Amino acid sequence: MIRRKCIFLLVLAVSVGFAAVAQSPVVVAVAPPEGAYRAYVDGNDTIILAHLPEVYVFPDLKFRNEKERREYNKLVRDVKKTLPYAKIVFETLIETYEYIETLPNDKAREAHLKRMEKELFREYKPELKKMTLTQGKLLIKLVDRECNQTSYNLVSAYLGSFRAGFWNLFAGMFGASLKSKYDPKGKDAMTERVVLLVENGVL
């Protein structure tokens, strides 16, 4: 009988202990289910807490003639074709930088960059060859937009100034320049408008 009372008291003590822990305030960050939102009550109002994407509002375009309309449609087409490649360049740049930082010496880094250059040429050269000169020039500018660096600076930093100079000379033969900068508030304002609309799925 005494043994049963001891066991009972022990179980009771443990139960009380668990109950005390369960009643202690614990803050747990739990994400709401998909399609649901957090909210808080303010008086008699329930206020939803939701993250809204940026919304860009531009004035309606007014074309003076059919030629301007065709030029705009061509710009939209060219941005849709080249913007994904500019974003790939940025992603590749970040991944490459992070990876070469783990390599033991300059020789290993140089070998990796040469290997990467060959792989990129093999993968993307067929598609890039299909681009028009206008699309090529646009891609150079969009790379500057995404990476905040001109294509010339990127090539120079990763492959050396000699190769950067060679590729810039090669581009110059076709009226392009790897040193082209993106000017979203100036001559590239219309391109920036199209890019933002494309990124937000409006175009």
Side-chain angles (χ1 to χ4, degrees), residues 169-187:
L169 181 64
F170 182 78
M173 294 171 61
F174 298 94
S177 173
L178 297 183
K179 296 181 179 181
S180 297
K181 287 185 170 291
Y182 189 68
D183 183 13
K185 295 183 179 180
K187 58 185 178 181

Side-chain angles (χ1 to χ4, degrees), residues 100-118:
I100 63 176
E101 285 296 299
T102 67
L103 298 178
N105 51 51
D106 290 341
K107 184 177 180 180
R109 295 186 187 98
E110 181 67 20
H112 173 72
L113 290 173
K114 286 183 178 180
R115 185 168 58 253
M116 183 193 72
E117 185 181 15
K118 289 181 181 179

Side-chain angles (χ1 to χ4, degrees), residues 12-30:
L12 180 62
V14 172
S15 301
V16 170
F18 277 122
V21 171
Q23 291 172 5
S24 300
V26 178
V27 179
V28 180
V30 179

Side-chain angles (χ1 to χ4, degrees), residues 54-68:
E54 290 182 332
V55 176
Y56 298 95
V57 179
F58 296 101
D60 291 337
L61 285 175
K62 294 181 180 179
F63 302 105
R64 290 177 294 183
N65 49 53
E66 187 58 30
K67 180 183 177 182
E68 282 191 353

